[in-house]
């Protein structure tokens, strides 16, 4: 038995409060949010994209979540996922801007995962992101509900597209200004942190399952950062959930102490 204390970062620890209200997450964007892998693929019942893997990661970590949105994609996936989303194939930032307020008012998300801009060929400024975030701000004002928006610096094309690099740099600079002004925004560097290679795509724009899995890992790490939702953290490199015997959280000191068996693979710090 090993007793470890003072760890406050990394992977999500189990949340055993099953009576808590689920965190309402709205995946918002284009076909990459829907989960399309090939142009013209209309088999929505089997499309899950990053949502498929993200749902499993959150559930494996015992987080109570509810994906929300007007679209459904992935209803036939097994093990089952929550198929609700706001992923719209072919849509541009202006299209998302047109529905961001109404979709939020209808589904009342606590958190929005925004990945948009892939279809805005030639656009490198952040105006479209500004407009979408302004719609979310109006939703907060009218609903009285606080929402955090996780804004992705979008993934590259299979063959590097310099426009996307410029777009992401402008978006990041703009988001940093809004964060300083107090907006509830978290920048998700999907462009760099997902580490997609050409082998992770099924065509020029859409990831395959390996690519979507890498995206899900980045979303997961961003979601479990504490933001008034009691999502706990513990180190990713120590041990799996199955080897943990007990957990004690100390919110005042921002620490977690857990007792664990030492797995056959050992422990890496």
């Amino acid at each position: 038995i090993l007793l470890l204390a003072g760890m406050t970062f990394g992977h999500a620890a189990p949340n055993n409060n099953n009576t808590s209200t689920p965190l309402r997450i709205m995946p918002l964007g284009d076909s990459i949010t829907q989960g399309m892998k090939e142009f013209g693929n209309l088999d929505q019942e089997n499309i899950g994209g990053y949502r498929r893997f993200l749902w499993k990661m959150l559930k494996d970590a015992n987080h109570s979540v509810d994906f929300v949105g007007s679209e459904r994609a992935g209803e036939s996936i097994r093990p089952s996922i929550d198929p609700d989303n706001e992923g719209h194939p072919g849509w541009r930032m202006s299209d998302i801007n047109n529905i961001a307020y109404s979709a939020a008012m209808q589904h009342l998300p606590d958190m929005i995962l925004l990945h948009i801009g892939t279809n805005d060929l030639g656009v490198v400024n952040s105006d479209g992101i500004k407009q979408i975030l302004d719609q979310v701000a109006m939703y907060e004002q009218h609903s009285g509900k606080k929402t955090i928006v996780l804004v992705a610096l979008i993934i590259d094309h299979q063959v590097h597209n310099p426009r996307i690099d410029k777009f992401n740099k402008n978006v990041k600079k703009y988001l940093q200004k809004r964060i300083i002004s107090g907006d509830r925004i978290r920048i998700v560097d999907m462009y760099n942190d997902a580490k997609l290679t050409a082998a992770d795509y099924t065509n020029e724009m859409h990831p395959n399952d390996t690519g979507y899995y890498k995206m899900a890992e980045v979303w997961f790490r961003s979601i479990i950062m504490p933001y008034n939702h009691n999502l706990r953290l513990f180190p990713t490199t120590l041990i799996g959930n199955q080897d943990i015997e007990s957990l004690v959280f100390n919110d005042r000191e921002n620490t977690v102490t857990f007792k664990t068996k030492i797995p056959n693979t050992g422990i890496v710090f």
Side-chain angles (χ1 to χ4, degrees), residues 34 45 55 66 108 132 138 159 180 184 210 213 218 262:
Q34 183 206 49
E45 289 190 356
W55 178 260
D66 178 15
L108 301 175
I132 294 169
M138 187 166 66
V159 177
I180 291 172
R184 294 163 61 88
T210 303
Y213 183 87
V218 177
I262 298 179

Side-chain angles (χ1 to χ4, degrees), residues 24 26 68 86 99-109 112 135-145 147:
R24 298 174 64 82
M26 177 185 287
V68 298
E86 282 292 342
I99 61 97
Y101 173 78
S102 59
M105 288 296 290
Q106 180 179 356
H107 300 290
L108 301 175
I112 295 173
Q135 293 297 309
V136 175
M138 187 166 66
Y139 151 67
E140 288 187 299
Q141 180 182 359
H142 293 170
S143 68
K145 191 176 180 66
T147 302

Side-chain angles (χ1 to χ4, degrees), residues 43-98:
D43 185 15
Q44 290 196 359
E45 289 190 356
N46 290 297
I47 291 175
Y50 75 73
R51 297 178 296 104
R52 172 182 198 159
F53 304 110
L54 178 58
W55 178 260
K56 186 175 188 305
M57 290 174 189
L58 290 167
K59 286 300 179 180
D60 284 351
N62 290 340
H63 289 318
S64 180
V65 295
D66 178 15
F67 284 176
V68 298
S70 61
E71 302 295 309
R72 294 176 67 83
E75 293 175 277
S76 294
I77 290 173
R78 295 294 179 269
S80 62
I81 67 169
D82 185 338
D84 298 332
N85 68 94
E86 282 292 342
H88 301 273
W91 279 27
R92 301 186 178 189
M93 288 182 283
S94 58
D95 299 311
I96 294 296
N97 176 53
N98 289 336

Side-chain angles (χ1 to χ4, degrees), residues 15-29:
N15 178 356
N16 295 321
N17 184 8
N18 294 326
T19 62
S20 63
T21 302
L23 179 69
R24 298 174 64 82
I25 299 176
M26 177 185 287
L28 177 63

